[in-house]
Amino acid sequence: MEPLHVVTEKENIASRVLFPGDPLRAKYIAEKFLTDYRLVNTIRNMYAFTGYYKDQLITVMGHGMGTPSIGLYAYELFHFYDVEKIIRIGSSGAFKDSIKKLDICLSTGCYSESAFAYHWSKSRDKFFESSIELNADILSTAEEIGTELKVGPTLTSDTFDPYSPIDHIINACPIKNELTAIEMEGFALMHIAKCEGKKASMLLTVVDSQFESDNIITPEMRETSLDKMIYLALESIIKN
């Protein structure tokens, strides 16, 4: 079977991929951080760009919203294009009051009540770890460049919780007191990586918090904070 959603020559996809949700953010990253980059996928406007960061070939591709979307793109990249490691870079909500807006979180693994893993591989596991090796690269890079990280497990929800409160999901989580952030895709990425024997990790910038009364993040604040996360991800993924 040929891939249906990432359609390009195999050599056009690098073995190292940065994975933002928004395809326009992928375009922004390519334009600002990569050299000699090319647009290598446009199917469904889910842009992928491949170019050089320093002397290393990197692909930056959008993955869309929710577990079905990221799972589909992660599988095609890992399975058909021999991608070895992916770092998802996204936004999230804070899960505890010690996590502040614009903090950067490194996920050690994702808990979810999603049926994605069961649908994909009949797995009933509700927690999948991120890559220990890739996380080690991220942690050492963060120390080298002076970027503080909040480290811990994260929750993946199938709904956008400001619209649909998920207290019943949170209360069912056995590690709820350890969670740092909540987002909508990481669980599927970690599961696909495990199934394919590849490496995946996730960095998240906190953009909203129920614990802070002033919940406004200006476009300028968001861009600056995301740039810190993007730089960290790029510096980390070219290691080893």
Side-chain angles (χ1 to χ4, degrees):
M1 183 178 180
E2 297 295 322
L4 301 175
H5 306 89
V6 185
V7 181
T8 187
E9 297 299 319
K10 193 170 183 177
E11 60 268 22
N12 286 341
I13 301 294
S15 64
R16 304 167 184 187
V17 173
L18 256 57
F19 228 14
D22 186 351
L24 291 180
R25 189 165 294 150
K27 180 174 182 289
Y28 167 82
I29 294 168
E31 291 174 343
K32 184 162 185 175
F33 292 93
L34 302 186
T35 59
D36 298 325
Y37 66 86
R38 295 173 293 119
L39 178 62
V40 297
N41 187 74
T42 59
I43 303 298
R44 293 177 179 253
N45 289 328
M46 196 59 75
Y47 302 136
F49 299 86
T50 296
Y52 286 91
Y53 179 72
K54 298 186 173 177
D55 60 346
Q56 299 292 323
L57 198 64
I58 300 291
T59 293
V60 184
M61 181 174 181
H63 61 63
M65 299 178 69
T67 55
S69 183
I70 193 173
L72 181 155
Y73 290 109
Y75 175 75
E76 292 195 7
L77 291 171
F78 284 141
H79 189 79
F80 295 109
Y81 292 96
D82 296 335
V83 169
E84 289 299 321
K85 53 186 178 180
I86 291 175
I87 299 177
R88 163 165 145 70
I89 45 176
S91 57
S92 70
F95 207 87
K96 55 180 65 172
D97 58 7
S98 61
I99 308 294
K100 305 301 182 182
K101 286 180 294 183
L102 303 183
D103 280 350
I104 301 175
C105 298
L106 172 63
S107 177
T108 56
C110 302
Y111 178 91
S112 185
E113 291 288 336
S114 171
F116 179 88
Y118 181 71
H119 281 226
W120 191 270
S121 66
K122 299 183 181 178
S123 172
R124 295 192 182 276
D125 291 343
K126 295 183 178 181
F127 183 83
F128 292 102
E129 291 184 337
S130 45
S131 165
I132 294 173
E133 296 89 346
L134 193 46
N135 277 10
D137 288 340
I138 293 170
L139 285 167
S140 64
T141 303
E143 185 175 358
E144 290 166 10
I145 65 178
T147 296
E148 182 181 353
L149 292 177
K150 305 295 185 180
V151 182
T154 51
L155 179 70
T156 299
S157 173
D158 278 342
T159 61
F160 184 54
D161 61 296
Y163 295 165
S164 177
I166 56 167
D167 290 348
H168 56 301
I169 301 295
I170 295 169
N171 291 333
C173 177
I175 57 170
K176 63 182 180 181
N177 293 329
E178 302 172 38
L179 297 171
T180 58
I182 178 171
E183 49 80 59
M184 296 179 64
E185 290 87 22
F187 179 78
L189 174 61
M190 304 312 167
H191 179 59
I192 295 295
K194 180 181 179 181
C195 290
E196 292 296 307
K198 303 298 180 71
K199 298 176 182 178
S201 188
M202 180 168 66
L203 286 166
L204 301 166
T205 296
V206 176
V207 296
D208 61 76
S209 172
Q210 62 179 308
F211 306 103
E212 297 183 60
S213 57
D214 179 9
N215 210 27
I216 298 174
I217 301 291
T218 67
E220 293 79 12
M221 292 168 64
R222 181 179 290 229
E223 179 174 323
T224 300
S225 181
L226 291 178
D227 276 1
K228 287 175 59 179
M229 176 179 64
I230 292 163
Y231 175 61
L232 171 60
L234 285 165
E235 288 288 318
S236 300
I237 206 165
I238 63 173
K239 284 190 170 181
N240 301 320

